[in-house]
Amino acid sequence: TMEASAELLVTFGLILGIGLAADYLGRRTRLPRVTLLLLFGVAIGPGGLNLIPGLFVAQFDLIANITLVMVGFLLGEKITLRRLRAHGREILAISLASALGTSLVVTTGLWLVGTPLPMALVLGGIASATAPAATVDVVEQEHARSPFSRLLLSVVAIDDAWGLIIFSLCTAAATGLAYAQMDTALLTHAAMEIFGAIGLGLAIGVPGAALSGRVREGEPILTEALALVFLCGGLALYLEVSFLIAAMVMGATVANLARHHDRPFHAISAVDWPVMILFFVLAGASLEIDAVLTAGSIGAAYVVLRVIGKIASGWLGGRLGRTREVYGRWIGVALLPQAGVAMGMALVASSQLPEYRQEILSIAIGSTVLFELAGPFATRLALAKTTTRSAHRDRHAGTPKHDDSSG
């Protein structure tokens, strides 16, 4: 109807206006734009002033999928063979240690404080997930071009792939313990989701790379990049594979094989900010703030253990990957944001273990609210600390560190 269309357009305008305000405030106050957008979303959402039409909030899943596919595509660009040859050991060691270490710390800690083991395992699996969209936005807002920011983006790109594998193993073990049977179907589904996504990313990325840059410069380049992104996202959802991993593999394929690969990436980064504004404001509107209060003592233990797990395992990954000491010290802090991927995991786990459904959901939602609001501050702090410390160290060494140019 005319009224619904008018409502939708006014809401679009309002949310994009809020995005401009968040951008302005972010520049003036150094507050992360992500946190500001989420807070605005909470304020105008159903839990606040209730200014967003229900029809619009219902489209959150679609907007979230579009955003994450774009983010996956942009992160894929960071995974080039050149960068892997130079920093592959660091990237793999930190991402794997961070995901696995966090999961172990959270599972063990929760079990020791009296949480039933199936529930502790599931929450340990959920704890490994990070928030690619929030991390990318903080790096962009800070205009960070340091070796640490590049390392962080490369790690966050493959972090959720490890997280998905760990979560699937944890959930299969939890159902095995709860019902005395190993859920092999869950493991098979996880393998299909990951390997299917890799296959889809390659299937679209290879022809995409061959066609990249063949069109005249200018407008069609943006069309080309968006065509790849929407095609990849739609097919991933249709085939029920991970669209984040599919988009990342597609981005990495285009980045490695295309001769003019810079242009599609630069083109899409011009359009991803309005989409991200919609994503974060609607994410704020759909946050259930009450869940923070209902999460209780297990929820508080989960938050503390995840912070300890991320920082400790980031440091360990840094040692194993032989990265700079300062990077190892701060990479775990930078990986603290947690968002949609964790919520998706919680929904899967709660359907697998119905007797723990309420606890799993309230802890996952409650902790996601906290990590989504406070996490970007941690990422900003880590970027600031590593940049100043590196510059300070290089000044004293008298020579600049050469890994600046290798990514």
Side-chain angles (χ1 to χ4, degrees):
T1 65
M2 185 79 78
E3 198 177 314
S5 300
E7 216 174 44
L8 216 57
L9 288 170
V10 168
T11 310
F12 259 120
L14 177 70
I15 291 177
L16 291 173
I18 284 170
L20 287 173
D23 218 349
Y24 179 81
L25 270 176
R27 288 174 204 280
R28 294 289 177 279
T29 61
R30 312 301 300 142
L31 289 170
R33 292 185 301 197
V34 178
T35 308
L36 289 168
L37 289 171
L38 288 164
L39 288 170
F40 278 133
V42 170
I44 65 170
L49 300 170
N50 202 14
L51 297 177
I52 302 181
L55 178 69
F56 209 84
V57 179
Q59 298 307 312
F60 176 54
D61 279 355
L62 173 66
I63 291 164
N65 292 343
I66 292 170
T67 309
L68 290 174
V69 173
M70 282 186 175
V71 167
F73 185 60
L74 290 167
L75 283 172
E77 181 205 10
K78 314 293 173 205
I79 309 170
T80 58
L81 290 175
R82 183 170 158 225
R83 183 170 297 184
L84 286 175
R85 272 196 292 268
H87 303 292
R89 182 188 173 118
E90 286 175 294
I91 295 164
L92 288 172
I94 292 169
S95 62
L96 189 52
S98 169
L100 202 54
T102 305
S103 190
L104 280 170
V105 169
V106 172
T107 302
T108 312
L110 288 177
W111 181 60
L112 289 173
V113 297
T115 311
L117 190 53
M119 194 164 118
L121 274 164
V122 161
L123 290 169
I126 293 170
S128 61
T130 49
T135 311
V136 167
D137 188 66
V138 174
V139 170
E140 281 181 3
Q141 186 184 357
E142 293 301 300
H143 304 294
R145 298 286 178 271
S146 65
F148 178 80
S149 70
R150 286 197 288 272
L151 175 68
L152 172 63
L153 291 176
S154 300
V155 168
V156 90
I158 53 175
D159 217 27
D160 281 336
W162 296 129
L164 203 58
I165 295 166
I166 292 163
F167 169 74
S168 305
L169 292 170
C170 287
T171 311
T175 26
L177 284 166
Y179 306 116
Q181 55 165 45
M182 274 309 278
D183 196 343
T184 47
L186 200 71
L187 291 176
T188 312
H189 178 73
M192 297 272 287
E193 196 178 347
I194 292 158
F195 291 111
I198 292 169
L200 178 64
L202 288 168
I204 300 176
V206 172
L211 295 168
S212 173
R214 306 278 180 210
V215 195
R216 62 184 173 80
E217 286 183 25
E219 201 63 34
I221 301 300
L222 174 58
T223 314
E224 173 186 306
L226 288 175
L228 290 176
V229 164
F230 289 140
L231 192 63
C232 180
L235 286 172
L237 289 168
Y238 182 73
L239 298 169
E240 294 184 1
V241 299
S242 167
F243 53 83
L244 193 61
I245 294 171
M248 203 177 70
V249 172
M250 177 182 72
T253 307
V254 173
N256 282 289
L257 299 182
R259 292 294 149 255
H260 307 283
H261 66 262
D262 272 358
R263 289 179 197 147
F265 288 109
H266 290 169
I268 208 163
S269 60
V271 93
D272 73 333
W273 177 231
V275 179
M276 279 173 118
I277 291 171
L278 293 172
F279 171 64
F280 287 118
V281 171
L282 288 179
S286 52
L287 285 179
E288 295 175 33
I289 303 295
D290 298 348
V292 180
L293 307 171
T294 57
S297 57
I298 299 176
Y302 171 86
V303 169
V304 172
L305 287 164
R306 185 175 180 268
V307 171
I308 293 168
K310 279 287 174 207
I311 294 170
S313 55
W315 173 83
L316 178 64
R319 292 298 292 266
L320 294 172
R322 294 183 191 155
T323 189
R324 280 182 175 185
E325 194 186 330
V326 68
Y327 293 179
R329 203 177 306 145
W330 288 100
I331 193 84
V333 176
L335 291 168
L336 282 175
Q338 189 172 35
V341 179
M343 283 309 308
M345 289 176 172
L347 290 168
V348 170
S350 63
S351 66
Q352 292 288 322
L353 297 161
E355 68 267 48
Y356 300 118
R357 179 182 168 82
Q358 206 45 57
E359 292 95 326
I360 289 169
L361 284 178
S362 63
I363 290 165
I365 296 167
S367 60
T368 299
V369 172
L370 289 174
F371 284 122
E372 214 167 346
L373 292 171
F377 285 99
T379 306
R380 250 202 73 223
L381 177 68
L383 286 168
K385 291 287 184 187
T386 50
T387 308
T388 52
R389 299 259 177 110
S390 298
H392 179 74
R393 186 183 128 158
D394 292 343
R395 253 200 322 276
H396 280 272
T399 54
K401 184 93 167 132
H402 293 297
D403 66 349
D404 239 344
S405 60
S406 57

